[in-house]
């Protein structure tokens, strides 16, 4: 309603005319008619009930605009402000009021030449109350930040890449626990990387920027947050290391929290013990505390008033009513071991509670939940304002008795959404109480207990490797596929180099795994996050590319889920890799840990209670979700989310040690896998042969425009041939025969020819005006110039030779480009009857006799009377060479007469 009266100084956005639906901060002057309308209700004790009924039990709260009395102008409130905040061993520049002044909170944070711009905006109208805070986070790395453009056709950023989705999760997870309950305005955090110098990573910077923007905004929250990265280089912990320093780091830890507690950690390491991890967390927490203290000082100067009045919580008495109705049944339902029957029983009980408290009404044990209302409509017209109301039992002046209005007692009713929220909190309370007070969980386990484990390998006959891992009601079907470099995952990043991932894990979570029907489409943020966690947990156990030259893809298909499906993916993936014949360094397993922080409320002594191998209900109702993967002694990956105000290092240490014992038990059960992993390459997996050639020979394999390599693939039937600049050649084939053929061809192409080598019965591949090209080995050709085709003059090579003819040639030169020069003339007498000669005929009797030696490793000597022939002369088997071409070792051979030479040449041409 907009107030049009001149005396009004405040504009209220609330659409209701009832005073109780306006915020306390709203200075609203109601009209006289509106005030008179509410006059009859002053004596009615059930006014709140009537308002709830008339508006379907929904209490909407609207975002208030500016206060009536403003001490400073909007321009003064948005004055630019800059401050430097310690960020590890350097400072970051935080600026507000420069950009995004219409947002609830906006900051730019600069580290070196990396700049992140973050905004926070709130919806004016709240959503329906729910148990999930309406927060959305978007993070985007602009290619222009690194002076690049997108590689796509439209030249603009498209849907978020997996890396950007992971950063969104890093921002969201620590922010959510700091939000106050009962605030239902849609909240959106947008973060852009506007500049990137390639040295200072923007992800941890984006967490801090989001925490500062939220702290400066109107959003009600508990404390400012900040995020840092911790690396371990040369035994020294480094806060917010550069990208170059991270190349040699043994640890990649991202930590976020407040000045007093840790809210989120996520990291990966190469088999790091728990003690070193705790030291890294301590170093990161100290850095976060320094940042948060500076942020609090900035908020005192530039922060906006918080919308605390917008918080709406369920009525306090509703908690008591829900416990009275459902408490006894909850005790029995929470003892049901199976997830689906327990979920259905809880749903049925919730429906019953909602029906009682929203439709039929519930009268408490003491009868205190009764209200009184009159039967007639209480909305009185303005014309009836002067009508005299006679008190019950009295008579008017005309001695006419007036019947009193009948009164009915109606139980108090509540909004459905409030009842559902309270029922969920009550269920969580009873679950915690059962664990703490009774020492048993819903499935009967102790806090340290692990669910039953079973696994089998070789589940899929045609897959390269597969494993079905089951832990309680959580099951993962892990599948391994091996391939060549073409199967690698390509990633476009700000660094400018298109990264190629040799190993990647893809996680899928269909709705059927929890017994529900739902949408199936692109992977969700949760699937991307869980898949990355499992991938980074398995990466340290893989062999190097030199040891195992395959690209490895792991799929984790969740077929059942009741908690810890990402850690089941680690266990299943470890078994599937062994089944595929991947020589892993050591097997790893994963476990999810939970916690009840304040046990005193539920019958304990106040000491936090750590739970091993938590289920879905324990994750939803607990205070922590701490996933840890590794072997018996060390850790490869970890991820922790806190749902309360945070935890301390002693609590984290206890959780890590308990997780270590759990991993040992899980690995022992995995070793009992039946059938066990085959640990050998599947017969359906491709064969990959790696060979080394001289780097300068790589171009000979590729050929002009890739012609040679395509020809080899077509001739031999191999799948792919991958070459690298360092001379590494990878041949991928489906069978051994085609692999061997390609090896021979490539070996011939890249062999180092020796001047003087003789090649017999070689095919002419093409003819040019200046000579013919002869294939000396498969895939390797050399030029026999027209002057080297015959001792006599030859005007055109086409006159004597054609493509497909076979001749004997000798290598006489290799130039600096590796091109071969061949000679046929060096292997035949000067007089060739096939080629006309301009030289004067010499009498054969008066001419000196010529002798020729067939030598493989040395030059052919001519115009000598006697030459011994080496014993390693190749044996000719084609019909283009007669048996007389083969000279026995130690024999002296005279040159053939002209008639014999002519016959040999004719035979060569016929072939």
């Amino acid at each position: 309603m907009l107030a049009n009266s001149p005396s009004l100084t405040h504009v209220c956005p609330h659409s209701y005319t009832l005073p109780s639906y306006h915020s306390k901060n709203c200075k609203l002057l109601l009209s006289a008619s509106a005030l008179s309308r509410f006059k009859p209700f002053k004596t009615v004790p059930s006014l709140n009930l009537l308002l709830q009924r008339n508006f379907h039990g929904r209490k909407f709260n609207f975002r208030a605009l500016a206060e009536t009395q403003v001490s400073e102008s909007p321009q003064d409130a948005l004055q630019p402000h800059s401050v430097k905040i310690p960020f590890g061993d350097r400072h970051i520049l935080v600026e507000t009021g420069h950009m995004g002044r219409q947002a609830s909170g906006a900051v730019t944070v600069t580290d070196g030449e990396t700049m992140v711009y973050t905004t926070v905006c709130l919806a004016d109208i709240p959503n329906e109350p729910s148990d999930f805070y309406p927060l959305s986070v978007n993070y985007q790395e602009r290619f222009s930040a690194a002076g690049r453009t997108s590689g796509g056709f439209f030249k603009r950023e498209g849907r978020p890449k997996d890396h950007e989705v992971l950063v969104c999760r890093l921002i969201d997870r620590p922010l959510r626990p700091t939000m106050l309950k009962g605030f239902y305005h849609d909240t959106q955090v947008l973060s852009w990387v506007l500049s990137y110098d390639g040295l200072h990573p923007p992800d941890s910077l984006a967490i801090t920027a989001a925490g500062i923007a939220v702290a400066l905004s109107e959003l009600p929250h508990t404390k400012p947050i900040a995020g840092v990265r911790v690396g371990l280089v040369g035994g020294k912990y480094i806060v917010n290391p550069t990208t170059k320093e991270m190349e040699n780091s043994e640890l990649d830890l991202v930590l976020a929290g407040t000045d007093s507690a840790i809210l989120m950690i996520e990291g990966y390491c190469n088999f790091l013990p728990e003690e070193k991890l705790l030291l890294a967390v301590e170093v990161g927490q100290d850095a976060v505390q320094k940042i948060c203290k500076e942020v609090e000082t900035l908020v005192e100067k530039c922060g906006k008033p918080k919308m605390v009045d917008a918080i709406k919580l369920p009525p306090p008495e509703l908690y008591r009513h829900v416990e009275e109705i459902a408490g006894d049944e909850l005790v029995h339902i929470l003892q049901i071991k199976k997830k689906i029957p327990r979920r259905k029983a809880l749903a049925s009980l919730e429906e019953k509670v909602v029906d009682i408290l929203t439709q039929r009404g519930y009268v408490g044990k003491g009868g205190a939940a009764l209200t009184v209302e009159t039967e007639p409509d209480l909305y009185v017209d303005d014309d009836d304002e002067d009508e005299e109301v006679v008190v019950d039992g009295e008579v008017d002046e005309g001695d006419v008795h007036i019947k009193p209005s009948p009164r009915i007692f109606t139980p108090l009713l509540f909004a459905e959404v409030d009842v559902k929220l309270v029922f969920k909190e009550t269920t969580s309370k009873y679950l915690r109480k059962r664990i703490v007070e009774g020492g048993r969980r819903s499935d009967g386990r102790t806090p340290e207990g692990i669910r039953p484990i079973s696994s089998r390998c070789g589940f899929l006959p045609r897959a390269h490797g597969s494993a079905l891992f089951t832990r309680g009601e959580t099951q993962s079907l892990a599948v391994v596929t091996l391939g060549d470099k073409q199967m690698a995952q390509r990633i476009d990043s700000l660094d400018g180099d298109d990264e190629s991932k040799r190993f990647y894990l893809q996680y899928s979570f269909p709705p059927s795994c929890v017994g529900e029907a739902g949408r199936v489409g692109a992977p969700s943020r949760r699937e991307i996050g869980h898949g990355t966690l499992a991938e980074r947990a398995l990466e340290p156990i893989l062999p190097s590319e030199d040891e195992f030259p395959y690209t490895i893809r792991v799929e984790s298909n969740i077929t059942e889920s009741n908690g810890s499906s990402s850690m089941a993916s680690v266990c299943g993936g470890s078994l599937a890799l062994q089944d595929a014949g991947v020589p892993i360094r050591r097997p790893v397993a994963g476990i999810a840990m939970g916690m009840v922080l304040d046990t005193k409320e539920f019958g304990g002594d106040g000491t936090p209670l750590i739970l091993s191998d938590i289920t879905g209900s324990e994750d939803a109702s607990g205070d922590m979700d701490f996933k840890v993967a590794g072997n018996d002694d060390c850790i490869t990956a970890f991820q922790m989310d806190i749902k309360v105000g945070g935890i301390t290092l002693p609590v984290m240490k206890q959780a890590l040690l308990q997780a270590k014992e759990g991993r040992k038990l899980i690995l022992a059960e995995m070793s009992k896998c039946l059938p066990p992993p085959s640990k050998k390459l599947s017969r359906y997996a491709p064969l990959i042969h790696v060979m080394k050639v001289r780097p300068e020979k790589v171009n000979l394999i590729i050929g002009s425009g890739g012609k040679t390599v395509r020809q080899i693939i077509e001739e031999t039937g191999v799948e792919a041939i991958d070459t690298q600049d360092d001379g590494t050649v990878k041949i991928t084939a489906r069978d051994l025969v085609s692999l061997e053929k390609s090896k021979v061809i490539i070996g011939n192409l890249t062999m180092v020819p020796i001047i003087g080598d003789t090649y017999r019965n070689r095919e002419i591949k093409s003819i040019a005006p200046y000579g013919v090209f002869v294939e000396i080995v498969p895939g390797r050709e050399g030029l026999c110039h027209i002057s080297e085709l015959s001792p006599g003059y030859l005007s055109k090579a086409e006159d004597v030779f054609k493509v497909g003819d076979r001749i004997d040639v000798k290598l006489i030169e290799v130039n600096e480009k590796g091109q071969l020069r061949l000679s046929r003339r060096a292997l035949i007498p000067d007089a060739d009857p096939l080629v006309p000669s301009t030289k004067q005929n010499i009498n054969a009797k008066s001419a000196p006799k010529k002798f020729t030696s067939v030598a493989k490793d040395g030059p052919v000597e001519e115009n000598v009377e006697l030459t011994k022939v080496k014993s390693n002369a190749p044996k000719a088997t084609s019909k283009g060479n007669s048996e007389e071409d083969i000279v026995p070792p130690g024999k002296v051979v005279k040159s053939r007469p002209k008639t014999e030479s002519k016959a040999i040449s004719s035979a060569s041409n016929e072939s």
Side-chain angles (χ1 to χ4, degrees), residues 463-538:
H464 300 163
S466 62
L468 184 66
F469 177 82
T470 307
R471 178 166 51 196
E473 293 181 294
T474 298
Q475 188 178 73
S476 169
L477 174 61
V479 185
V480 172
T481 304
L482 304 177
D484 59 356
K485 189 178 180 180
Q486 300 299 321
M487 201 181 79
Q489 187 180 37
R490 298 177 182 177
I491 300 174
D492 194 9
S493 62
L494 281 179
D495 295 326
D497 299 329
D498 292 341
E499 182 184 353
S500 182
K501 291 178 65 175
R502 169 178 167 256
F503 166 69
Y504 52 97
L505 187 146
Q506 294 171 333
Y507 167 100
S508 62
F509 191 91
S512 61
C513 70
V514 290
E516 297 177 355
R519 187 187 70 87
V520 177
S524 64
R525 292 188 174 188
R526 179 183 181 277
E527 289 176 301
I528 293 174
H530 281 35
T532 302
L533 176 62
E535 174 186 310
R536 298 291 295 271
L538 292 172

Side-chain angles (χ1 to χ4, degrees), residues 208-220:
T208 301
I212 298 174
V214 168
L216 294 174
S217 72
E218 303 161 282
L219 188 64

Side-chain angles (χ1 to χ4, degrees), residues 699-817:
N699 290 332
L700 297 176
I701 303 174
I702 299 174
S704 177
K707 177 181 178 181
T708 304
V709 70
R710 287 195 299 267
Q711 183 179 355
I712 297 173
I713 294 174
E714 183 179 352
E715 290 180 2
T716 61
V718 298
E719 290 192 342
I721 298 175
D722 176 57
T723 59
Q724 299 178 12
D725 294 338
D726 63 352
T728 302
V729 181
K730 291 183 180 180
I731 308 170
T732 306
R734 284 290 176 185
D735 56 84
L736 190 59
V737 175
S738 58
L739 179 65
E740 292 297 332
K741 287 182 180 179
S742 62
K743 285 169 57 180
V744 171
I745 295 176
I746 293 175
N748 291 333
L749 280 173
T750 58
M751 72 173 188
V752 180
I754 300 175
I755 296 177
D757 285 355
T758 300
Y759 304 94
R760 297 192 176 276
N761 195 32
R762 304 307 182 187
E763 182 181 359
I764 297 177
K765 288 293 185 179
S766 61
I767 300 178
Y770 47 83
V772 298
F773 287 91
V774 182
E775 185 181 54
I776 59 173
V777 293
R780 188 76 181 273
E781 298 179 6
L783 172 64
C784 186
H785 194 266
I786 193 171
S787 62
E788 297 292 338
L789 282 173
S790 176
Y793 173 75
L794 185 63
S795 60
K796 291 183 179 180
E798 295 93 332
D799 295 341
V800 180
F801 303 101
K802 62 181 183 295
V803 175
D805 286 349
R806 293 184 175 271
I807 59 175
D808 299 337
V809 290
K810 176 184 176 181
L811 179 62
I812 59 175
E813 182 184 350
V814 180
N815 64 14
E816 64 278 1
K817 296 182 179 180

Side-chain angles (χ1 to χ4, degrees), residues 204-502:
S204 59
L205 195 66
I207 300 174
T208 301
I212 298 174
V214 168
L216 294 174
S217 72
E218 303 161 282
L219 188 64
H221 69 294
T222 55
K223 288 184 177 181
I225 71 160
V228 296
R229 168 177 269 108
V230 180
L232 179 59
V233 181
K236 180 182 178 182
Y237 294 99
I238 302 177
V239 178
N240 295 315
T242 63
T243 54
K244 290 184 178 179
E245 290 173 329
M246 283 302 298
E247 292 176 358
N248 302 317
S249 177
E250 302 176 47
L251 171 69
D252 183 6
L253 166 66
V254 177
L255 181 145
T258 65
D259 60 353
S260 58
I262 302 168
L263 294 173
M264 183 273 296
I265 62 171
E266 180 168 330
Y268 314 98
C269 48
N270 190 5
F271 293 102
L272 204 67
E274 284 80 358
E275 294 77 14
K276 290 188 176 181
L277 174 60
L278 288 170
L279 287 175
V281 172
E282 186 176 0
V283 171
Q285 187 184 20
D286 292 341
V288 167
Q289 288 176 347
K290 295 177 182 178
I291 298 173
C292 290
K293 289 179 181 179
E294 296 291 338
V295 173
E296 289 177 354
T297 304
L298 177 65
V299 172
E300 291 176 0
K301 297 179 181 179
C302 308
K304 295 182 179 179
K306 301 299 180 181
M307 295 174 58
V308 180
D309 291 337
I311 296 176
K312 294 298 178 183
L313 297 173
E317 64 271 15
L318 184 56
Y319 291 87
R320 185 181 72 255
H321 297 330
V322 171
E323 286 192 34
E324 290 176 356
I325 297 173
D328 295 337
E329 292 187 56
L330 276 175
V331 173
H332 297 289
I333 290 175
L334 293 177
Q335 296 179 18
I336 300 175
K337 295 184 178 182
K338 296 293 183 180
K339 174 185 175 180
I340 299 299
R342 184 172 62 249
R343 186 180 68 186
K344 290 183 178 179
L346 284 173
S348 177
L349 179 58
E350 181 186 31
E351 185 179 357
K352 171 186 172 182
V353 173
V354 169
D355 180 62
I356 292 175
L357 293 176
T358 63
Q359 300 295 330
R360 293 185 289 163
Y362 173 70
V363 179
K365 295 178 180 179
L370 296 179
T371 58
V372 182
E373 68 175 18
T374 55
E375 190 177 37
D377 188 3
L378 296 178
Y379 286 97
V380 185
D381 295 334
D382 293 341
D383 297 338
D384 298 334
E385 290 180 6
D386 298 331
E387 181 178 346
E388 183 178 358
V389 179
V390 181
V391 181
D392 295 349
E394 295 184 2
V395 294
D396 60 3
E397 296 178 0
D399 292 333
V400 177
H401 291 278
I402 298 177
K403 292 183 179 181
S405 300
R407 298 177 180 180
I408 55 176
F409 291 90
T410 305
L412 184 61
L413 302 179
F414 299 90
E416 179 179 347
V417 64
D418 288 340
V419 176
K420 289 185 175 181
L421 287 173
V422 173
F423 180 81
K424 181 176 180 180
E425 292 185 31
T426 304
T427 303
S428 175
K429 175 182 176 180
Y430 273 74
L431 179 64
R432 293 164 178 248
K433 187 175 181 181
R434 170 178 169 79
I435 297 172
V436 174
E437 198 173 63
R440 292 287 174 178
R441 296 148 79 172
S442 294
D443 52 9
R445 286 182 292 150
T446 61
E448 300 83 8
I450 307 295
R451 289 173 290 177
I453 295 174
S454 64
S455 53
R456 56 180 295 193
C457 289
F459 186 73
L460 304 178
R462 294 285 299 198
H464 300 163
S466 62
L468 184 66
F469 177 82
T470 307
R471 178 166 51 196
E473 293 181 294
T474 298
Q475 188 178 73
S476 169
L477 174 61
V479 185
V480 172
T481 304
L482 304 177
D484 59 356
K485 189 178 180 180
Q486 300 299 321
M487 201 181 79
Q489 187 180 37
R490 298 177 182 177
I491 300 174
D492 194 9
S493 62
L494 281 179
D495 295 326
D497 299 329
D498 292 341
E499 182 184 353
S500 182
K501 291 178 65 175
R502 169 178 167 256

